[in-house]
Structures are given as structure tokens and as C-alpha cells.
Amino acid sequence: MLVDSHCHLDRLDLSRYENGLDGAVAAAAERGISTMLCVCISEENKDRVLEIAESYPAIFASVGVHPSDVEQELVDVETLKTWAKHPKVVALGETGLDYYYTKDKAAFQRESFCNHLVAGAETGLPVIVHTRDAREDTLELIRAHASPESSGVLHCFTESWEMARQALDMNFYISISGIVTFKNAEELREVVRKVPLEKLLIETDSPYLAPVPYRGKPNEPKYVREVAEYIADLKGIRFEELAEISRGNFFNLFKRANA
Ligand SMILES: [Zn+2]
Ligand SMILES: [Zn+2]
């Protein structure tokens, strides 16, 4: 059984499914993927994300504001803590820093990221971190504000081994998307070979970043299997073993999903 540890189910292209999201969830289940974490990116999509999590027993939710959305929405710690009270919420985020696309909003992003880290530490919930071209600042804020117990995950990781190593030292997990299957991702493959198995999560980040051989097409949770098969190969272990370990990791990190 596999887990998709990060997907945006409210944004999937459902045109190939007559019965909408039910169809995509059933297609994933047919391939052994039943548990999913549907990730919130703004106050605007929060209610839909929670509604999806309420509709399926094995789909969980996060609450937070994506770094690309923070200028419109700077949400304070108390508000985040209130959002997190929903019983299907297992994490804060996604939050973080993206200096690649939105460096002009860096100060807002840092303040928002800090609020999510504090809310995570205070609620005991892990934090889902999006980080791109902001290695030093990301690590510095985690060091200053994250709780080593509830910790979090660097999702859709594409940065250096040095960054991964420092995050692992702070008890964070590293989540790998379909990017690892891309031709030009040799540096990332090198990182994946080094990340300890017990700290590895697997995600689609659908509807974005479909793995090879679906690259460029709409992504969906059922393709987490291609990502997992590829990583099992890199790690030199059987697919079933990787599926089992990464599933265990998911429930170790997102503890509220066990209830
Ligand atoms: Zn992201
Ligand atoms: Zn995402």
C-alpha cells in the first residue's frame, strides 16, 4: 500500500473521469494508493480541501498559505491554530520560501513561514515546507522556530544534499516527487540515494509534475506508483519494501492521521 504524501486534489484535471474526484480516487486505489494528503495553499481553497478530506476516510488535509500567495494573505498564528482544529487536519502548510518565482515578496514569505512554524510547534503538528532557491533562509527559520518533535517535511525537494542533510539533522523528512524521474535530475537522484530510508516520503504534487512517462500531462495520485518504483530502483530495494517503509514514515510524521 502506497501513500501520496502531497497532492492538490481540488486542482486535478478530472475530465477523464465521469464521476469526478471519486473516479480519480478509485483509480488510485486500484493501484494500491488509498491514503493521501490533500494540501491547502490559501484561505480561498481551504474549505474545498477540508470538504474533500471529510468525504474520504483515508484522505487527510493540511491548512496554510503557499509562499506564492502570501502577499494577498498574511495569516497570523492564532488564525492558523484555529484552522488546524479541524479533525482531518494533520499538518500546517504548505508554507515556506520560493525566491525563484517570487523573490520580490521575500519579507512577506519569511513572516508567513515563521507564523506557520510557530503554529506547528504550538499545536504539535508538522509543517509542510516548500523551498526553492532559498536554502539559507529556509534552514535558518526552521532552526529558529520549528519544533524538533513535531518537525515537518521539505516537500518536492530539488535542492542540494547539503540542505537535505541539515534538515535531516533537525528531524525533518524529505519528500520526493516525479521530478526524480526527469532526465536532467541527476543531482536530485544523488540526494535520494543518500537520504535515509526512514526519512523519505513520496508524493505526486499533482496536478503538477507528472513523472516519466507521463511528463507534461496532468498528474494525479495514481502516478505516485511510478515515482515509488523509480525510487525503489535507485535505493536498490524492492518496490513493496519501499512502499511499506514510506507509508510507515507518513504515519510517523503525520501522527494525527493515525487516530
Ligand atoms: Zn510546493
Ligand atoms: Zn504543493
Side-chain angles (χ1 to χ4, degrees):
M1 293 291 262
L2 258 178
V3 172
D4 186 352
S5 74
H6 187 119
C7 50
H8 300 277
L9 299 175
D10 57 312
R11 306 187 141 209
L12 296 187
D13 174 358
L14 297 168
S15 54
R16 69 181 110 173
Y17 297 110
E18 261 174 45
N19 51 349
L21 187 56
D22 279 352
V25 170
E30 259 169 51
R31 306 191 75 207
I33 303 119
S34 54
T35 306
M36 301 169 202
L37 176 44
C38 182
V39 174
C40 177
I41 57 160
S42 70
E43 179 157 26
E44 186 252 306
N45 86 326
K46 176 176 68 71
D47 290 343
R48 178 63 188 137
V49 164
L50 293 176
E51 184 185 38
I52 289 170
E54 285 163 6
S55 309
Y56 303 92
I59 297 181
F60 301 94
S62 71
V63 284
V65 180
H66 191 282
S68 304
D69 291 271
V70 294
E71 198 166 16
Q72 299 86 294
E73 276 183 59
L74 194 55
V75 178
D76 62 30
V77 175
E78 287 313 309
T79 305
L80 288 167
K81 284 163 73 175
T82 306
W83 290 0
K85 283 186 181 145
H86 187 286
K88 290 301 291 277
V89 169
V90 300
L92 272 306
E94 62 180 286
T95 177
L97 304 174
D98 193 322
Y99 294 172
Y100 184 81
Y101 284 117
T102 44
K103 174 115 204 210
D104 52 319
K105 299 191 218 164
F108 281 113
Q109 291 186 36
R110 282 195 293 269
E111 190 176 346
S112 175
F113 186 25
C114 177
N115 288 349
H116 285 76
L117 291 168
V118 171
E122 291 183 5
T123 54
L125 290 173
V127 180
I128 301 167
V129 178
H130 171 111
T131 179
R132 192 155 181 211
D133 278 4
R135 294 176 189 177
E136 288 313 312
D137 287 0
T138 301
L139 290 167
E140 193 185 305
L141 286 172
I142 290 174
R143 204 168 285 120
H145 302 290
S147 150
E149 288 85 58
S150 51
S151 74
V153 55
L154 301 189
H155 108 89
C156 194
F157 190 78
T158 53
E159 302 293 326
S160 65
W161 164 243
E162 180 51 27
M163 183 180 196
R165 193 188 58 73
Q166 291 192 46
L168 290 164
D169 280 350
M170 294 188 281
N171 202 27
F172 267 62
Y173 288 69
I174 305 293
S175 182
I176 303 297
S177 71
I179 291 177
V180 73
T181 68
F182 294 179
K183 209 173 178 179
N184 57 357
E186 193 46 51
E187 191 191 349
L188 179 60
R189 284 189 276 278
E190 218 26 70
V191 171
V192 173
R193 288 186 189 101
K194 290 179 185 166
V195 173
L197 272 173
E198 68 274 13
K199 286 290 181 188
L200 199 62
L201 294 178
I202 303 171
E203 65 174 82
T204 55
D205 204 8
S206 47
Y208 320 105
L209 301 166
V212 171
Y214 308 105
R215 187 172 181 180
K217 302 208 173 103
N219 198 4
E220 53 178 298
K222 71 176 181 182
Y223 296 143
V224 81
R225 184 162 182 129
E226 276 67 23
V227 184
E229 281 169 351
Y230 194 92
I231 294 175
D233 224 45
L234 279 181
K235 295 298 239 181
I237 62 174
R238 286 184 309 119
F239 164 75
E240 292 78 9
E241 197 183 341
L242 182 79
E244 209 44 49
I245 293 170
S246 58
R247 181 182 164 81
N249 295 344
F250 178 86
F251 287 101
N252 279 338
L253 176 61
F254 301 110
K255 292 192 173 61
R256 216 197 261 179
N258 289 305

